């Protein structure tokens, strides 16, 4: 183990702590509906995707579509989505959902440049709306790339791989 | 001999008597009553021609996808002979599901339970230890997978298990002409697998919405105009409302300010379409519709990232109980579409009409809210209002076949949808 | 029994679907080469030379349908179970 505590992952312990803090802070912004602040966490060239998952035989797993996504966004379309949610006509989120993003099992690996890290983590999003006790659960793996921009970590790429082939949600009017 | 089919009880007959499309009355219980639902499965989904796949989903011999026809699971497979077959995904021995993946390629299928083996034509060809165990008495040729009748139009594969149904051409009627604009204007293919998600709503709500309801766009989708995807909240008002026969409905948004498709594809469209069809395509701003009972479609155009882009999609409302739908939505693309058009078109599909789509999100809110309300013992009795345009709409000429009405805001297609629904539910089809 | 050996660097190709999985590789004899097809699930393997393989190219799919009439292979030839060969 190195003096910085880089360990087997090749990523210094202080960077791992910063990454965890980033993920937890991001989850807080999403769950508190502070979406304008959330947009500030994204790089200008961010790509945000959620591929379609398929049921395939063993050997073809994990069957993740390279051709179709539930989200395929860049900063422009993410801003558009947030702007829409701010209008008086975004019925799907007015009244808003109550969400809780549980972010766990984060593994941090060196990225392609010294200013980047690749992070995989498990995410469970609990979502409840209205008076019903019935809830949505969205489970999946995030494959993120974070980049240090001006001293702060930002999200440069997210691929959220869902665990359901048929999503158990009426809509995806929230972010994962 | 008694039929094992559900027959309408006196109660069901009384329920059906309260469905009065001609008076613009559709009672709320239609959207959650379990007895109505059971009857729909047998009288509508086991009888109508149902969409099962696009040809491009099974392009090569052996390719297959698993799908549903109502609540029946089917395999859509292309045989070694190139023909597409649709078979019940049920082993004839004990009823086990044979194909359990979403898609694959195989010349033969082998049931996981006892190893009964079928050709991908459905013929039973192998039974383990057959000679020893069945003493030659097992009649394999009457144990093939149950075959549906299959027909295609413009690459759209339809199937029915009803031997008594007419041809697909008869079934589609005038709708076939509009499906050419949708899926036959060029050689089309689906892009990747369909989006799938569960919608806690009755299947008829989105089906009638796509067939008939341009009116909701102004309010439900007001956010879309506000963020600049469409020019105004009333963008979907001008055009035509077309009853396309047999409960099918299509709405033509027209005129458009500019051609909504890739310019490079004009010669392809002109070559493949009749002159009247091409003329309408040139004026087209958007086109939602529903092929009765549960295949909807949409050609939509929006301004995304300062670029004007259209996309074409299919949406299927697979019923999974009175208040649940397994939604499938496919992006359809011209094979010859230029790469940059493909990419933007794909993004437009995802950000507007997939489950994360900024229009689809709010539609889902309406469909689930109505379904929840329709369970209330008082609310379920309410006759909901479908009167718009009753006896007042003006016919328009020179557009296309079917009954063409001036203006998109109307509820005539919803009345047509429920008129056809009622005929089938009463068994007079 | 295998008289031929795989050479390092010859890739093993797996071909699978919902119903079966086989691995395919080139194997060398002292004087030539064969293609080995193995089914780890059922424990069978076959080594086919070029001439045998060529004959496959003109088989109709019906040939394979006939092969699959005994879905578990030689386990059920002559109506009784044979011992599984060592994979």
């Amino acid at each position: 183990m190195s003096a910085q505590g880089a360990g087997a992952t090749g990523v210094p312990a202080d960077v791992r702590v910063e990454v965890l803090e980033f993920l937890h802070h991001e989850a807080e912004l999403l769950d508190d509906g502070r979406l304008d602040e959330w947009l500030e966490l994204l790089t200008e060239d961010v790509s945000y995707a959620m591929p379609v998952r398929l049921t395939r035989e063993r050997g073809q797993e994990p069957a993740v579509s390279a051709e179709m996504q539930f989200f395929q966004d860049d900063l422009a379309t993410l801003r558009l989505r947030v702007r829409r949610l701010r209008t008086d006509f975004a019925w799907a989120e007015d009244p808003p959902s109550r969400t809780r993003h549980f972010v766990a099992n984060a593994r941090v690996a060196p990225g392609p440049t010294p200013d980047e890290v690749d992070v995989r983590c498990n995410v469970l999003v609990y979502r409840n709306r209205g008076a019903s006790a019935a809830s949505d659960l969205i489970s999946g793996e995030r494959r993120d790339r974070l980049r240090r921009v001006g001293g702060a970590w930002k999200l440069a790429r997210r691929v959220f791989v869902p665990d359901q082939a048929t999503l158990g949600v009426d809509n995806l009017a929230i972010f994962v | 001999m008694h039929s094992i089919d559900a027959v309408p009880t006196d109660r069901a007959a009384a329920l059906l008597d309260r469905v009065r499309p001609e008076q613009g009355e559709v009672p709320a219980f239609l959207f959650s009553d379990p007895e109505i639902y059971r009857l729909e499965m047998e009288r509508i989904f086991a009888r109508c021609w149902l969409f099962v796949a696009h040809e491009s989903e099974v392009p090569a011999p052996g390719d297959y996808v698993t799908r549903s026809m109502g609540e029946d699971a089917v395999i859509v497979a292309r045989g070694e002979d190139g023909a597409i077959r649709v078979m019940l995904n049920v082993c004839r021995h004990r009823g086990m599901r044979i194909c359990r993946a979403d898609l694959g390629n195989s010349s033969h299928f082998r049931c996981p339970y006892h190893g009964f083996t079928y050709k991908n034509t459905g013929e039973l060809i192998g039974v383990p230890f057959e000679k020893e165990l069945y003493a030659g008495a097992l009649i394999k040729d009457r144990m093939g997978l149950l075959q549906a009748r299959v027909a295609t139009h413009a690459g759209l594969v339809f199937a029915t298990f009803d031997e008594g149904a007419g041809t697909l051409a008869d079934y589609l009627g005038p709708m076939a002409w509009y499906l050419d604009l949708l899926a036959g204007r060029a050689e089309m293919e689906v892009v990747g697998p369909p989006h799938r998600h569960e919608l806690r709503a009755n299947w008829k709500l989105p089906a009638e919405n796509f067939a008939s309801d341009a009116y909701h766009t102004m309010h439900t989708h007001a956010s879309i105009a506000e963020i600049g995807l469409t020019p105004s909240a009333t963008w979907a008002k001008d055009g035509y409302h077309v009853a396309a026969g047999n409960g099918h409905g299509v709405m033509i948004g027209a005129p458009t300010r500019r051609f909504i498709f890739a310019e490079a594809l004009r010669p392809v469209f002109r070559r493949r379409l009749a002159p009247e069809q091409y003329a309408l395509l040139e004026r087209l701003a958007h086109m939602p519709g529903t092929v009765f009972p549960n295949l909807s479609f949409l050609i939509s155009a929006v301004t995304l990232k300062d670029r004007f882009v259209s996309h074409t999609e299919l949406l299927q409302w697979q019923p999974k109980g009175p208040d649940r739908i397994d939604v499938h939505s496919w992006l359809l693309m011209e094979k010859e579409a230029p790469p940059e058009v493909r990419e933007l078109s794909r993004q437009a599909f995802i950000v507007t009409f997939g489950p994360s789509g900024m229009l689809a999100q709010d539609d889902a809110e309406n469909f689930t809210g109505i379904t929840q309300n329709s369970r209330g013992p008082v609310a379920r009795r309410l006759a909901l209002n479908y009167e718009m345009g009753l006896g007042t709409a003006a016919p328009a000429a020179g557009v296309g076949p079917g009954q063409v009405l001036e203006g998109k805001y109307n509820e005539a297609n919803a009345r047509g949808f429920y008129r056809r629904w009622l005929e089938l539910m009463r068994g007079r089809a | 029994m295998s008289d031929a050996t795989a050479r390092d660097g010859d890739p093993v190709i797996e071909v699978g679907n919902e119903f079966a999985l086989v691995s395919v590789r080139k194997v060398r004899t002292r004087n030539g080469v064969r293609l080995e097809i193995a089914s780890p699930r059922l424990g069978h393997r076959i080594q086919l030379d070029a001439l045998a393989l060529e004959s496959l190219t003109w088989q109709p799919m019906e040939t394979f349908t006939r092969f699959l009439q005994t879905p578990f292979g030689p386990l059920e030839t002559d109506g009784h179970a044979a011992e599984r060969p060592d994979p």
Side-chain angles (χ1 to χ4, degrees), chain A residues 76-113:
Chain A
T77 58
L78 288 170
R79 279 185 175 143
L80 210 54
R81 289 179 184 277
V82 171
R83 258 180 71 203
R84 191 194 88 81
L85 291 168
R86 294 270 174 274
T87 69
D88 291 335
F89 305 97
W91 314 109
E93 277 296 312
D94 191 6
S97 299
R98 292 169 289 268
T99 67
R100 199 64 55 198
H101 286 70
F102 296 88
V103 180
N105 305 51
R107 288 141 290 165
V108 188
T113 72

Side-chain angles (χ1 to χ4, degrees), chain A residues 68-72 81, chain B residues 346-352 354 356-357:
Chain A
M68 188 45 67
Q69 292 80 23
F70 290 112
F71 281 107
Q72 188 203 352
R81 289 179 184 277
Chain B
R346 192 223 310 257
Q347 198 176 24
F349 165 65
I350 293 169
V351 305
T352 57
S356 78

Side-chain angles (χ1 to χ4, degrees), chain B residues 64 80 99-101 105-106 108-110 115 117 119 125-126 128-129 132, chain C residues 17-20 42 61-62 64-65 68-69 71-72 75-76 79-81:
Chain B
Y64 65 91
E80 306 305 311
C99 294
R100 294 162 304 138
N105 182 293
S106 195
H108 295 76
F109 305 131
R110 182 151 60 190
T117 302
K119 270 171 76 170
I125 59 98
F129 298 101
E132 183 182 336
Chain C
N17 63 22
E18 263 198 270
F19 312 100
L42 293 180
M61 194 50 81
E62 288 303 321
F64 303 97
T65 298
L68 283 165
Q69 282 173 359
F72 301 155
L75 285 182
E76 52 180 295
H80 59 80

Side-chain angles (χ1 to χ4, degrees), chain A residues 2-68:
Chain A
S2 73
Q4 293 80 27
T9 65
V11 174
D14 56 338
V15 170
R16 293 211 300 277
V17 170
E18 286 173 25
V19 165
L20 283 181
E21 282 172 355
F22 176 91
L23 294 174
H24 296 163
H25 177 59
E26 186 207 1
E28 178 179 325
L29 296 183
L30 290 174
D31 292 337
D32 289 353
R34 290 151 65 191
L35 297 178
D36 293 313
E37 289 173 67
W38 178 70
L39 288 173
E40 293 301 312
L41 297 183
L42 313 177
T43 62
E44 289 295 318
D45 62 346
V46 67
S47 82
Y48 182 90
M50 180 171 173
V52 168
R53 193 76 184 262
L54 293 161
T55 302
R56 293 299 306 265
E57 62 272 16
R58 195 174 297 281
Q60 297 284 337
E61 274 288 324
V64 177
S65 174
E67 295 173 282
M68 188 45 67

Side-chain angles (χ1 to χ4, degrees), chain B residues 68-190:
Chain B
S68 310
M69 292 173 66
E71 295 215 36
D72 284 312
V74 295
I75 306 165
V76 181
R78 194 182 287 273
E80 306 305 311
D81 58 357
I84 295 177
R85 292 180 182 79
V86 177
M87 298 155 272
L88 212 55
N89 190 1
V90 175
C91 181
R92 292 297 299 275
H93 178 223
R94 276 295 197 291
M96 174 57 187
R97 193 159 290 199
I98 295 168
C99 294
R100 294 162 304 138
D102 292 332
L103 70 165
N105 182 293
S106 195
S107 60
H108 295 76
F109 305 131
R110 182 151 60 190
C111 176
Y113 199 174
H114 302 90
F116 276 44
T117 302
Y118 300 84
K119 270 171 76 170
N120 65 5
T121 56
E123 190 187 332
L124 176 63
I125 59 98
V127 174
F129 298 101
E130 184 191 3
K131 280 186 193 141
E132 183 182 336
L133 301 177
Y134 289 96
L138 187 69
I139 310 296
K140 281 194 291 202
D141 33 341
R142 64 172 164 76
M143 297 252 303
L145 299 180
L146 202 68
Q147 303 276 337
R149 294 168 60 199
V150 181
T152 62
H153 183 85
L156 308 173
V157 185
F158 291 84
T160 176
F161 281 105
D162 185 6
E163 287 301 324
T167 64
L168 177 65
D170 288 343
Y171 182 83
L172 292 176
M175 187 54 128
W177 195 90
Y178 298 96
L179 292 181
D180 290 341
L181 298 189
L182 180 86
R185 63 179 187 262
E187 199 181 336
M188 307 285 280
E189 61 186 357
V190 297

